[in-house]
Amino acid sequence: MHRYHPVVATPLTDVPASLGADGVRRLYRLMLLTRLLDERLWIVVRQGKAHFVLTGRGHEAAQCASALAVHAGSDWVYTYYRSLGAAIALGFTPYEIFLGVLGKAADPISGARQLPNHFSSRRLRTPTVSSSVATQIPHAVGTAWATHLRGEPVATLCYFGEGATSKGEFHEALNVAGLHRLPVVFFCENNGWAISVPLAEQVAGGSVAARAAGYGMPGVLVDGLDPLAVYQATDEALRRARRGDGPTLIEATCLRLTPHSSDDSDAYRSDDERAALAARDPLPAFRDRLLAAGLIAPDEPERWTDEFRASLLADQDRADALPPPTAERARRWLYQEPR
Amino acid sequence: MVTTSDRQTAAEAVTAHERILTYAQALNEALREEMRRDPTVFVMGEDVAAWGGGGVFAVTRGLAEEFGTERVRDTPISEEAIVAVAVGAAASGSRPVAELMYVDFVGLAMEPLVNQAAKLRYMFGGKVSVPMVLRTQQGAGRGNAAQHSQSLEAWFCHVPGLKVVTPSTPADAKGLLVSAIRDDNPVVFLEHKLLYGTKGHVPAGAYTIPLGVADVKRPGRHITVVGVHMMVLKALQAADQLAEEGIELEVIDPRTLVPLDEATIVESVKKTGRLIVTHEAATRGGYGAEIVARVVELAFDYLDAPPVRVCAKDVPIPYSAVLEEAALPQVTDLVTAARALMHDEV
Ligand SMILES: Cc1ncc(C[n+]2csc(CCOP(=O)(O)OP(=O)(O)O)c2C)c(N)n1
């Protein structure tokens, strides 16, 4: 098992070449936009405009950085319900996400059939999120199998939480991928909680990355609060896959800074625990690192925040002005009509 | 959303000295009392133990505090293991109450339920019994979309060897869950997510409601309405509306689908001559069709009109509130169907 040590103190001379200084600035902006959108979505629920949301606050570093390593539109990506940051980094727009959350007919993901933040896009090669935990993992293996059979030099990236690794699907999928050295990267966002169940009650032995050994593939543990370490680990794994060198399992340690969803009370965690997590928030940490390295100007974080807030409000209003689907369309898309 | 019906509110006023509990609290009480009474009863499922929480619908709240986390066990996210472990435990002498957070995930656990729990006693020549309860919740109306809103009771009813329970009131929920736990057969105990917060009178202490006994929730002369879960409440609302027009509905809650109390339903139809079946499960292949078939077999000559199904459209449940409402049977659909039946418009 390969460990990427936390590199919070690493000088930014370590910026991965394929990312570059511009890429690092872009990465921070994506993380910031994701965070502000996340906060906005919880407000939308409090406003009574949506039933519920599920977001990835504390996962932005892991999600945005890993998604930036994807060749968007050529690699395939299976996201999960918490993947807001990955979706934004892949190219979903906040406006599209508002359309779904607000249940509008124009929602490009499903015309308001699917739950909020269950992303899908033909253009971005992102199949729809399954609400059933872990079911996407064998599907990703199927996609990798198909691209391999067709001789396409692309990889499939599959996201899930550590709770998903308790499912039979996870184990069966990794075994198939390991046996046939398929071009797939399994990306586990380990935030230590599956709703109210902590890691110690979930993963025997305590390590997700260690499970890779049983399936004949490398297991990589990476500090999911360090975007550059995540980018590097994912970039390497995707390259291996595209080269035909087989699958990788990445475990990125994250924080869940919100309740599981807007339906969850979070009563099983104490205020002290929550405060301790908030103190490790990856977003200000990355900002300070970039400021110290002179990669962003001192006024930029605040300016960008204001700009994003304004554009998000405008996006929400624009989406909210549109109509919901009409009742007669309830059957639409159930079957593929003969072509 | 339909909550307490007017009738229940009236009942609450009259019986103010009696205990009013929610459906979730009534279920909690059944579990607690059975766990006190029988040390072989234990509870397992995702998020059932979390101190203070007690499952995402709070049905198991406080049980871990009283009985410890050995008997109230949070499991990993492993649906097949949850059900299969319950089968093994039940077949070797315990009485597990396993919980699936949503019925929608039962596909991941159908092998232990359908091929094992339902058939073990039969295949073992009667040498073993499988006294387990699989508790889960189903139903729509909360914007939970296609993979969190299904009503799948018909799947279980189709498997010989399983019993299937669908309570619609707090008192029924408690008495039926006690019976389910004490039953020596595998019981699929289906709750409804919108019913958890509904309130009603619940007797204190242990009591059982036998599996296989329907309840006439409202007597009436003109149309028999057999409903499942939320549709019992919606049928009672429709009955209130129709009473003003002189149309009387007799609303029957079968309470258990397997075994089915067909005598109560058939007797009612012999009186009314008209039948509506109503459930949130899709119309095609739904359990309503089974009820219609039984009535046609047993009381064909008494029917004044073809039976009517007021059930969900044959579509996945969509997220959009507009689409979800369109997909589900509503009070107005029941009212319209009843009027049509009375005016020979069918
Ligand atoms: C098969 C299945 N079982 C249970 C659930 C209910 N559920 C939804 S999310 C969740 C926790 C998932 O935890 P994890 O995989 O660690 O991801 P996280 O949400 O923490 O990012 C559970 C139990 C589900 N959606 N699907």
Side-chain angles (χ1 to χ4, degrees):
Chain A
M1 190 175 102
H2 187 67
R3 247 171 222 276
Y4 283 82
H5 288 290
V7 286
V8 176
T10 308
L12 283 168
T13 47
D14 273 11
V15 169
S18 54
L19 195 58
D22 282 349
V24 174
R25 282 168 60 82
R26 180 159 167 245
L27 176 51
Y28 174 72
R29 280 173 57 87
L30 289 167
M31 288 169 56
L32 178 62
L33 177 60
T34 302
R35 172 65 58 92
L36 296 170
L37 173 59
D38 174 330
E39 290 172 358
R40 190 75 226 154
L41 294 178
W42 283 70
I43 294 171
V44 169
V45 171
R46 282 202 295 276
Q47 290 173 332
K49 290 173 185 282
H51 285 293
F52 99 123
V53 286
L54 229 161
T55 58
R57 209 174 304 171
H59 290 235
E60 293 91 344
Q63 294 178 348
C64 296
S66 56
L68 275 192
V70 168
H71 291 170
S74 131
D75 290 336
W76 290 77
V77 185
Y78 284 80
T79 57
Y80 82 121
Y81 49 79
R82 203 174 292 292
S83 297
L84 188 63
I88 291 292
L90 284 169
F92 288 85
T93 67
Y95 176 62
E96 291 172 325
I97 286 165
F98 281 121
L99 286 171
V101 170
L102 294 167
K104 303 301 184 179
D107 159 33
I109 288 172
S110 73
R113 270 66 171 176
Q114 180 56 298
L115 281 175
N117 294 359
H118 281 47
F119 317 97
S120 64
S121 161
R122 204 169 248 288
R123 178 175 61 88
L124 296 170
R125 294 196 162 175
T126 308
T128 192
V129 170
S130 172
S131 299
S132 316
V133 163
T135 50
Q136 74 276 22
I137 307 173
H139 298 168
V141 172
T143 298
W145 195 322
T147 58
H148 167 74
L149 282 175
R150 295 194 299 256
E152 299 169 7
V154 303
T156 298
L157 177 61
C158 182
Y159 290 103
F160 47 88
E162 85 287 352
T165 70
S166 300
K167 295 283 309 154
E169 286 93 324
F170 168 83
H171 296 274
E172 295 182 26
L174 264 72
N175 191 41
V176 172
L179 273 174
H180 303 296
R181 297 177 61 74
L182 295 174
V184 53
V185 176
F186 303 101
F187 193 98
C188 176
E189 297 174 32
N190 177 2
N191 61 21
W193 293 92
I195 312 185
S196 73
V197 180
L199 182 72
E201 300 275 327
Q202 187 74 246
V203 177
S207 166
V208 172
R211 296 184 162 184
Y215 300 115
M217 68 182 76
V220 174
L221 178 66
V222 61
D223 176 2
L225 305 183
D226 180 342
L228 299 185
V230 169
Y231 177 85
Q232 200 184 330
T234 318
D235 188 46
E236 270 177 40
L238 287 170
R239 283 170 197 271
R240 264 173 49 82
R242 293 186 204 109
R243 274 201 309 269
D245 287 342
T248 306
L249 170 62
I250 298 175
E251 173 184 1
T253 46
C254 303
L255 310 175
R256 205 189 79 201
L257 297 179
T258 59
H260 171 73
S261 75
S262 56
D263 274 352
D264 173 27
S265 68
D266 218 3
Y268 42 84
R269 303 196 293 187
S270 69
D271 289 344
D272 285 351
E273 278 173 277
R274 275 191 289 271
L277 296 182
R280 296 169 56 212
D281 188 339
L283 195 69
F286 194 42
R287 176 198 61 204
D288 292 348
R289 235 170 118 194
L290 298 190
L291 284 170
L295 275 174
I296 54 178
D299 66 321
E300 279 178 331
E302 208 175 320
R303 188 151 58 74
W304 291 343
T305 300
D306 293 342
E307 282 169 18
F308 285 150
R309 283 222 171 98
S311 71
L312 288 169
L313 265 181
D315 285 341
Q316 181 186 334
D317 288 346
R318 188 154 63 99
D320 210 8
L322 294 177
T326 50
E328 315 76 76
R329 304 282 266 177
R331 278 204 176 80
R332 194 177 181 211
W333 295 320
L334 188 52
Y335 293 100
Q336 166 87 58
E337 297 304 327
R339 283 187 274 196
Chain B
M1 166 182 150
V2 186
T3 51
T4 326
S5 75
D6 292 345
R7 293 172 64 247
Q8 281 170 307
T9 315
E12 279 172 37
V14 176
T15 59
H17 61 287
E18 290 174 318
R19 297 168 346 122
I20 301 297
L21 298 186
T22 65
Y23 185 91
Q25 288 166 334
L27 290 164
N28 180 277
E29 208 168 77
L31 289 169
R32 192 182 294 273
E33 290 173 4
E34 288 309 290
M35 289 184 79
R36 284 181 188 155
R37 181 178 162 272
D38 180 349
T40 70
V41 176
F42 70 95
V43 167
M44 59 190 288
E46 292 159 21
D47 300 277
V48 298
W51 300 88
V56 293
F57 297 98
V59 172
T60 53
R61 175 168 292 169
L63 296 184
E65 284 85 341
E66 178 168 349
F67 301 102
T69 48
E70 290 276 317
R71 279 180 79 197
V72 184
R73 171 59 82 197
D74 270 343
T75 63
I77 307 175
S78 303
E79 280 73 15
E80 181 166 1
I82 292 169
V83 177
V85 166
V87 172
S92 49
S94 282
R95 288 189 181 267
V97 181
E99 175 180 317
L100 292 183
M101 197 183 287
Y102 287 78
V103 77
D104 308 76
F105 310 143
V106 77
L108 300 160
M110 278 307 236
E111 163 62 28
L113 187 67
V114 171
N115 270 343
Q116 311 301 335
K119 300 176 173 62
L120 281 189
R121 179 170 175 76
Y122 188 76
M123 298 191 302
F124 275 50
K127 290 191 291 296
V128 72
S129 61
V130 187
M132 63 174 278
V133 177
L134 176 59
R135 281 187 47 245
T136 186
Q137 57 79 28
Q138 60 175 21
R142 244 179 47 135
N144 286 174
Q147 295 168 328
H148 279 87
S149 303
Q150 295 169 88
S151 289
L152 299 178
E153 67 271 6
W155 290 16
F156 309 113
C157 293
H158 196 60
V159 179
L162 299 178
K163 295 188 177 181
V164 183
V165 183
T166 53
S168 73
T169 68
D172 288 351
K174 178 177 171 183
L176 290 167
L177 184 52
V178 171
S179 293
I181 293 170
R182 295 185 190 177
D183 199 285
D184 284 333
N185 298 283
V187 178
V188 179
F189 194 93
L190 298 168
E191 298 153 19
H192 190 293
K193 56 173 76 62
L194 288 194
L195 290 173
Y196 282 127
T198 58
K199 292 182 179 163
H201 166 63
V202 178
Y207 65 94
T208 57
I209 294 175
L211 306 186
V213 178
D215 191 33
V216 179
K217 296 293 182 193
R218 173 177 177 133
R221 287 177 303 159
H222 299 129
I223 304 174
T224 301
V225 181
V226 182
V228 177
H229 272 164
M230 279 302 290
M231 296 317 294
V232 175
L233 274 64
K234 288 187 180 174
L236 290 172
Q237 289 188 347
D240 282 343
Q241 277 186 37
L242 289 162
E244 291 162 19
E245 311 170 13
I247 300 176
E248 292 179 19
L249 302 187
E250 176 144 300
V251 179
I252 298 179
D253 180 354
R255 300 196 290 196
T256 68
L257 304 181
V258 180
L260 180 70
D261 177 1
E262 53 185 30
T264 297
I265 297 169
V266 166
E267 279 318 303
S268 174
V269 172
K270 284 183 177 172
K271 177 174 71 176
T272 61
R274 297 177 183 86
L275 173 66
I276 294 175
V277 293
T278 180
H279 51 62
E280 268 186 28
T283 309
R284 184 175 59 228
Y287 197 71
E290 174 68 24
I291 293 172
V292 168
R294 304 263 190 123
V295 167
V296 168
E297 284 166 357
L298 298 170
F300 183 78
D301 292 341
Y302 294 86
L303 284 169
D304 292 333
V308 177
R309 289 181 287 177
V310 180
C311 303
K313 296 208 168 62
D314 295 321
V315 287
I317 303 295
Y319 167 69
S320 150
V322 177
L323 296 181
E324 184 178 37
E325 196 183 316
L328 294 175
Q330 304 296 345
V331 175
T332 51
D333 300 319
L334 288 167
V335 169
T336 307
R339 284 187 189 136
L341 267 179
M342 289 311 290
H343 300 118
D344 290 333
E345 288 167 19
V346 286

